[in-house]
Amino acid sequence: MDISRRRHTHQYHGKSHVAAECGTTLFSTCSSSASATASLVQQRRRWANMPPELLHDIIQRVEASQTTWPTRRDVVACALVCRSWRKITKEIVKTPEQCRSLTFPISLKQPGPRDAPIQCFIRRERATSTFHLYLGLSPALFGGTSKLLLAARKIRRATSTDFVISLVADDFSRASNTYVGKLRSNFLGTKFTVYDSQPRQDTSIQPNCKSHRRIYPKQLSPRVSVCNYSVATISYELNVFRTRGPRRMQCTIHSIPISAIQEGGTAPTPMEFTNFHESTPSTSDHPLILKNKAPRWHEQLQCWCLNFKGRVTVASVKNFLLVAAAEPYQYVSVTEQDKVILQFGKIGKDIFTMDYRYPLSAFQAFAICLSSFDTKPACE
């Protein structure tokens, strides 16, 4: 992504990070003196004028050695030095599908790896109706150092419920450039629509745009266009006869074609946050549909069971495994249809695991999981 175009990107990396992530340069804090400013300019010029071959080698070594957070913030710091450093860093850093790592905020909109899931967990804050997505196995292993990926706030309305999703935990304004999308339910909480702040490839769908003013203590910013593009729908099956079993759900991902999981297929992979007014090529391919993996009834335990491979430890109606649903004419292999693309389940009070993989992104997976937190008496 073009970091210079998103001023709030540094908040994505946490408040405890080095000064490099708190501004547009790596070396200084604010100074009012002309001499300090001149010195800063000179420093930046020296680093910017490094031979490209040497600079490429340095950044490549940093990227290869910093594979996990919080040390991976050093890779982001390299991209914040100057324009030439940013360009080379963006060329070296691969997508999550290729390297299994989340680096820049745009990584949250890119498909996960094909061979293994990215493991995350969600913490629910009941008092504030907020949900925080962290990278890692569980909060017990990371304590207070877990890396925040996304945050959402639940907002109840007269006829629906909204989950506003942001890059940061303290700003859920849809006029902010940390806003990444939202989830909206119907009145019964049985159907949900996922909206992205970026347009999907099929531009035949018209976005829902509104104008907002961003008001700060001493200034008034111009009106900005806030657009929401429908990228997925989630439906929960009504349990009219109150039969026993987990919730049944189906997710239609309009922004991902079914061809993405066919042999040789690829999923849409945005490389930067797109301007709302830019157009993208349209597609007429059938969308990817995800369904619940069927559980089995355990006679001894007298409950429905699913294999979460040790990642879920508490029985809950919210727990689910999602796999691809494909028709024979769509030529999706049995192996691909058996792969768990998204799993979600409870491990403690207000703590849930979320593991996702290709072709879903972290944002899409998080939005689907948020739908489980809305009340659904008709589906229980």
Side-chain angles (χ1 to χ4, degrees):
M1 68 168 283
D2 189 346
I3 296 178
S4 65
R5 292 172 58 188
R6 296 183 63 84
R7 297 182 181 177
H8 291 279
T9 299
H10 64 279
Q11 299 181 51
Y12 165 80
H13 304 286
K15 295 182 179 178
S16 62
H17 289 183
V18 294
E21 300 178 25
C22 299
T24 57
T25 77
L26 179 62
F27 303 101
S28 73
T29 57
C30 295
S31 173
S32 59
S33 67
S35 58
T37 302
S39 176
L40 172 61
V41 172
Q42 184 64 25
Q43 278 185 315
R44 294 183 63 185
R45 188 173 299 165
R46 290 172 182 172
W47 289 100
N49 290 333
M50 287 184 63
E53 296 79 6
L54 176 60
L55 180 56
H56 189 280
D57 182 63
I58 291 174
I59 297 178
Q60 194 167 41
R61 288 171 182 264
V62 172
E63 201 278 337
S65 63
Q66 311 297 338
T67 57
T68 59
W69 291 89
T71 57
R72 195 157 180 81
R73 65 189 181 190
D74 295 340
V75 180
V76 180
C78 289
L80 293 173
V81 175
C82 60
R83 186 170 299 178
S84 60
W85 283 55
R86 179 163 62 251
K87 179 181 178 182
I88 292 179
T89 304
K90 288 170 62 179
E91 291 174 353
I92 292 174
V93 173
K94 305 301 182 184
T95 66
E97 179 185 352
Q98 298 168 315
C99 70
R100 303 186 191 177
S101 297
L102 300 173
T103 307
F104 301 121
I106 193 61
S107 302
L108 303 174
K109 295 288 186 77
Q110 296 172 336
R114 292 176 183 259
D115 54 350
I118 291 181
Q119 297 178 317
C120 312
F121 66 91
I122 298 172
R123 184 188 295 275
R124 174 174 57 183
E125 301 289 346
R126 293 177 183 266
T128 57
S129 297
T130 56
F131 305 84
H132 299 141
L133 176 67
Y134 295 94
L135 180 64
L137 298 174
S138 72
L141 296 177
F142 292 90
T145 63
S146 300
K147 174 163 180 51
L148 178 68
L149 300 179
L150 292 167
R153 172 172 289 172
K154 185 177 181 178
I155 303 172
R156 292 190 180 276
R157 305 187 186 280
T159 59
S160 65
T161 300
D162 282 3
F163 292 83
V164 180
I165 305 174
S166 173
L167 290 172
V168 297
D170 56 357
D171 185 359
F172 295 96
S173 169
R174 281 178 289 181
S176 169
N177 58 5
T178 60
Y179 170 74
V180 293
K182 70 175 181 179
L183 176 74
R184 170 166 287 182
S185 76
N186 65 352
F187 178 73
L188 294 177
T190 57
K191 292 185 178 180
F192 296 79
T193 303
V194 180
Y195 294 96
D196 197 335
S197 61
Q198 289 184 256
R200 63 186 178 93
Q201 288 200 351
D202 184 1
T203 55
S204 63
I205 302 297
Q206 295 298 317
N208 177 18
C209 300
K210 296 181 179 180
S211 293
H212 294 273
R213 288 185 183 271
R214 282 182 280 182
I215 302 176
Y216 300 98
K218 294 185 178 180
Q219 64 180 10
L220 182 66
S221 67
R223 287 188 178 271
V224 293
S225 178
V226 179
C227 296
N228 289 304
Y229 297 83
S230 173
V231 295
T233 54
I234 307 161
S235 300
Y236 286 83
E237 185 177 315
L238 292 174
N239 191 357
V240 179
F241 299 104
R242 291 288 190 261
T243 56
R244 290 190 300 175
R247 294 172 178 168
R248 296 181 181 179
M249 61 190 295
Q250 178 176 289
C251 305
T252 303
I253 317 298
H254 304 290
S255 58
I256 303 177
I258 187 68
S259 60
I261 59 173
Q262 294 171 350
E263 185 177 357
T266 58
T269 306
M271 300 309 294
E272 61 181 17
F273 285 94
T274 308
N275 186 290
F276 292 143
H277 302 291
E278 293 178 1
S279 61
T280 52
S282 61
T283 177
S284 58
D285 202 349
H286 294 285
L288 174 69
I289 297 178
L290 305 179
K291 65 177 182 178
N292 291 82
K293 190 167 186 177
R296 63 180 180 85
W297 178 255
H298 198 292
E299 288 294 341
Q300 293 180 331
L301 298 177
Q302 289 292 295
C303 66
W304 293 96
C305 294
L306 285 167
N307 183 11
F308 289 91
K309 301 185 183 300
R311 288 283 286 152
V312 177
T313 57
V314 179
S316 173
V317 71
K318 295 179 175 62
N319 301 347
F320 64 76
L321 297 174
L322 293 185
V323 296
E327 300 295 336
Y329 68 86
Q330 293 175 324
Y331 303 106
V332 177
S333 67
V334 175
T335 302
E336 284 296 326
Q337 294 185 55
D338 286 339
K339 285 183 179 179
V340 175
I341 294 176
L342 173 61
Q343 75 172 40
F344 171 79
K346 192 172 184 179
I347 60 173
K349 184 179 180 180
D350 297 320
I351 301 294
F352 304 80
T353 56
M354 186 198 89
D355 300 344
Y356 76 97
R357 67 193 304 165
Y358 177 92
L360 285 185
S361 67
F363 165 71
Q364 294 162 343
F366 187 42
I368 294 172
C369 292
L370 287 174
S371 70
S372 282
F373 291 106
D374 199 26
T375 305
K376 303 173 187 60
C379 303
E380 306 299 286

